[in-house]
Amino acid sequence: MKFCFLCGKKTEKLINGYCEECYNKKFHLIKVPKEIIIVKCSKCDRIKEKNKWKDIEIDEFLKNKIEILGKNVEIKIEKNDILKIYAKGFLKDSKKIKEEIHEVKFKIEYEICPLCSKKYRNYYEAIIQIRGNITSDDINSIDDIVLMKKGFYRIEKVKGGYDLFISNKYLAEKIANFLRKKYKTEIKRSYKLVTSKEGKDIYKNIILVRISD
Ligand SMILES: [Zn+2]
Ligand SMILES: [Zn+2]
């Protein structure tokens, strides 16, 4: 007769020094990180996994994050504000079925993958025509605003100022607002009609920001 070194129970069979019950309490079927961050491309929905952009579903990505320690482990994942991972199976040296629930914090962050940023480089919803002088610090601030909102833009030096081609209209308003707060400006808005292939009317916003010296 042997004794479990944790609970002291007499048993015929010890697993690593534990009775089957304690062994099942002590060890887990799966190992999961405390927090999972999913980086997704906001344009094509691909997911970044180990620094590579992949065409995988979120569930598959999550499954890849789970390390299986037991045998015949079935996994079910429930996504709400938090992830609930249900595991059912056997520990390596046990014949007793075990069930576990693991709670994991998770967050989705959006980026634009290199493929999409290449593809959309010429894409824009709004143009800001800045007329007057701005500084390189201003351009840095504009970079920050665009980055923070996961957008992108192209800048062109033109006579009397700059033209900014901006990925989204909302972002363009943010930038115009930034300039309006910093300088004495005159702002005019207009729209350019671009008809798409499907015959749907699409407008591009044009914001003229004239900066007085
Ligand atoms: Zn025990
Ligand atoms: Zn993409």
XYZ file of all heavy atoms in Angstrom, residues 41-46 53 111-117, ligand 2:
111
model
N -5.516 42.503 -40.013
C -5.453 43.557 -41.033
C -6.868 44.113 -41.217
O -7.817 43.356 -41.426
C -4.920 43.018 -42.354
S -5.000 44.228 -43.682
N -6.996 45.420 -41.130
C -8.333 46.006 -41.209
C -8.881 45.992 -42.633
O -10.054 46.255 -42.852
C -8.321 47.430 -40.647
O -7.418 48.213 -41.378
N -8.049 45.671 -43.600
C -8.507 45.637 -44.996
C -8.831 44.225 -45.475
O -9.830 44.007 -46.126
C -7.430 46.242 -45.912
C -7.170 47.708 -45.681
C -8.265 48.546 -46.305
C -8.106 49.998 -45.882
N -9.349 50.746 -46.011
N -7.957 43.278 -45.192
C -8.145 41.937 -45.773
C -8.462 40.870 -44.732
O -8.668 39.713 -45.087
C -6.919 41.526 -46.573
S -5.470 41.213 -45.552
N -8.499 41.260 -43.446
C -8.848 40.320 -42.367
C -7.799 39.247 -42.084
O -8.063 38.320 -41.329
C -10.185 39.609 -42.638
C -11.360 40.527 -42.332
O -11.133 41.524 -41.621
O -12.468 40.259 -42.809
N -6.653 39.334 -42.713
C -5.641 38.329 -42.393
C -5.115 38.587 -40.979
O -5.223 39.686 -40.446
C -4.501 38.382 -43.399
C -4.943 37.842 -44.767
C -3.774 37.567 -45.676
N -2.957 38.752 -45.841
C -1.673 38.705 -46.207
N -1.082 37.557 -46.418
N -1.005 39.827 -46.354
N 1.794 37.259 -41.903
C 0.357 37.487 -42.098
C -0.251 36.253 -42.723
O 0.185 35.809 -43.778
C 0.149 38.714 -42.981
C 0.499 39.972 -42.267
C 1.714 40.587 -42.248
C -0.354 40.759 -41.420
N 1.664 41.707 -41.457
C 0.413 41.836 -40.937
C -1.693 40.644 -41.025
C -0.116 42.799 -40.079
C -2.220 41.606 -40.182
C -1.429 42.671 -39.720
N -4.296 46.516 -37.822
C -3.181 47.127 -38.544
C -3.490 46.975 -40.017
O -4.468 46.343 -40.382
C -1.887 46.350 -38.256
C -1.166 46.784 -37.013
C 0.143 46.026 -36.819
O 0.695 45.509 -37.812
O 0.589 45.964 -35.671
N -2.646 47.534 -40.844
C -2.795 47.279 -42.272
C -1.578 46.473 -42.704
O -0.445 46.892 -42.466
C -2.950 48.591 -43.055
C -4.309 49.216 -42.703
C -2.858 48.347 -44.558
C -4.473 50.615 -43.163
N -1.822 45.315 -43.265
C -0.698 44.438 -43.617
C 0.090 45.060 -44.776
O -0.434 45.890 -45.512
C -1.203 43.039 -43.952
S -1.955 42.884 -45.575
N 1.335 44.646 -44.967
C 2.164 45.240 -46.025
C 1.545 45.085 -47.413
O 1.630 46.002 -48.234
C 3.477 44.455 -45.934
C 3.501 43.877 -44.579
C 2.075 43.661 -44.171
N 0.899 43.942 -47.646
C 0.277 43.712 -48.950
C -0.808 44.749 -49.229
O -0.885 45.307 -50.317
C -0.339 42.305 -48.947
C -0.333 41.581 -50.274
C 1.075 41.074 -50.560
C -1.303 40.404 -50.222
N -1.642 44.992 -48.214
C -2.727 45.956 -48.384
C -2.205 47.383 -48.450
O -2.729 48.196 -49.199
C -3.747 45.815 -47.260
S -4.714 44.316 -47.415
N -1.184 47.685 -47.680
C -0.726 49.073 -47.730
C -0.122 49.368 -49.101
O -0.214 50.476 -49.613
C 0.209 49.415 -46.573
O 1.337 48.627 -46.601
Zn -4.270 43.156 -45.531
